[in-house]
Amino acid sequence: MREIVVFSGSAHRSLATAICQGLGVPLSSVELTRFSNDCLQAQLQENCRQRDVYIVQPLSPPTQEHLMELLLMVDAARGASAAQITAVIPYYAYARSDKKDASRLSIGGRLVADLLDAAGVDRVITMTLHAPQVHAFFSVPVDHLTALGVLADHFQGADPATTVVVSPDFGNAKTASQFARLLGLPVAAGSKKRLADDQVVIDAIVGDVAGRKAIVLDDEIATGGSIVELLDRLAEQGCTEAAVACTHGLFVGKAIERLREHPMITEVVTTDTVPPPADWPELQVRSIADLFAQAIERIHAGESVSSLFDGVDPSLGPPQPRLFD
């Protein structure tokens, strides 16, 4: 088989290093240069000719900076005659821009997918897209991974008589139901209306939360506004305490202050799809590096990636045989 070469931009080198440890290959160097006119240049420091190149770069803040680094590295790999170029994007930020729900509105999720295609990407590996339909924006194969199993491992042993999984909104309720199934817990959901990027209203809780501990599951936490609003409604419904879990822990703005000091929160659990904040030692961080390393190994060997999630999430696992009359 062709040799694997892995590169990383400046977004999350520690994750790229951990993925390479799982693969048993070194992380190859990239020289990123900024010129006096603020333009970036990327030079790959390892031979790419007829090799399978994997570029690890989550689109974490500063998002535009990291996106441009990724595009330049892909272009450099294509110019260096790479056999196949895979963009490993653990956090695809523009998945939140997935529809035109106002006049003259851009759809960033589709545009960034087109940019990656134009740059020369042959495949994308990502995790927990904010909107699953963003998968269809790409004209190249996409391997969509999930951290549900990794997060569920953290909460194994939770008592179904006293604990409930809660989704902040109905859009995430299907994922929360799968998470609850893994833990053998009941599920509830909030009825959320978003007024602005950092302002939401949750006007109702569907499900029984009175006298129970909540495990609040969300795909992404940015400012923490949705979580705090949800916790206020849960407290009104008689919920006693809450653990908060998410795949993408951005924790921007006042998020750390809001969550660390909230009286209902017992712990916050996230993964390392983006770099965790350095000033929050109590934050529980579960690594997804091995999951990405296994996915890369399977892709390189021509094996099934969906089988990684057999029994975890039916929507991402292998198709099940149907019985016909």
Side-chain angles (χ1 to χ4, degrees), residues 244-261:
V244 176
C246 69
T247 300
H248 308 301
L250 298 178
F251 307 121
V252 296
K254 297 181 179 179
I256 296 177
E257 177 185 342
R258 285 171 168 171
L259 300 178
R260 186 162 52 185
E261 299 177 0

Side-chain angles (χ1 to χ4, degrees), residues 274-299:
V274 298
D279 55 346
W280 195 358
E282 304 87 358
L283 180 68
Q284 301 288 318
V285 180
R286 306 282 298 199
S287 180
I288 43 76
D290 284 345
L291 198 55
F292 274 91
Q294 290 179 58
I296 290 172
E297 284 182 334
R298 287 167 180 257
I299 290 168

Side-chain angles (χ1 to χ4, degrees), residues 7 13 23 43 45 59 87 92 120 122 146 177 183 196 200 229 243 256 263 267 269 278 284 294 302 317 322 324:
F7 297 98
R13 284 200 176 98
L23 291 170
Q43 184 180 42
Q45 303 291 303
L59 300 184
Y92 186 70
D122 297 298
T146 177
S177 295
L183 296 171
V200 299
E229 177 74 10
I256 296 177
E267 65 175 340
V269 184
Q284 301 288 318
Q294 290 179 58
R322 297 183 180 182
F324 296 96

Side-chain angles (χ1 to χ4, degrees), residues 90-219:
Y91 171 58
Y92 186 70
Y94 278 95
R96 298 188 65 155
S97 178
D98 65 309
K99 57 186 176 297
K100 185 176 180 181
D101 52 6
S103 298
R104 296 182 288 277
L105 192 67
S106 61
I107 304 177
R110 176 62 185 267
L111 175 61
V112 172
D114 288 344
L115 287 171
L116 290 166
D117 183 35
V121 166
D122 297 298
R123 178 182 294 273
V124 170
I125 309 176
T126 189
M127 174 169 277
T128 312
L129 292 169
H130 181 72
Q133 62 267 25
V134 172
H135 191 148
F137 287 174
F138 292 87
S139 56
V140 298
V142 176
D143 289 293
H144 188 195
L145 312 186
T146 177
L148 277 188
V150 175
L151 293 173
D153 286 343
H154 183 86
F155 293 100
Q156 286 296 332
D159 186 358
T162 60
T163 311
V164 59
V165 173
V166 182
S167 170
D169 54 63
F170 295 145
N172 194 55
K174 182 178 179 181
T175 301
S177 295
Q178 296 294 346
F179 186 69
R181 180 184 59 81
L182 293 175
L183 296 171
L185 300 177
V187 66
S191 174
K192 182 172 76 174
K193 298 178 182 177
R194 182 168 293 278
L195 305 180
D197 178 51
D198 59 351
Q199 185 180 4
V200 299
V201 172
I202 296 177
D203 52 19
I205 301 292
V206 179
D208 183 15
V209 298
R212 292 176 178 266
K213 303 173 185 178
I215 301 176
V216 176
L217 178 71
D218 208 351
D219 64 321

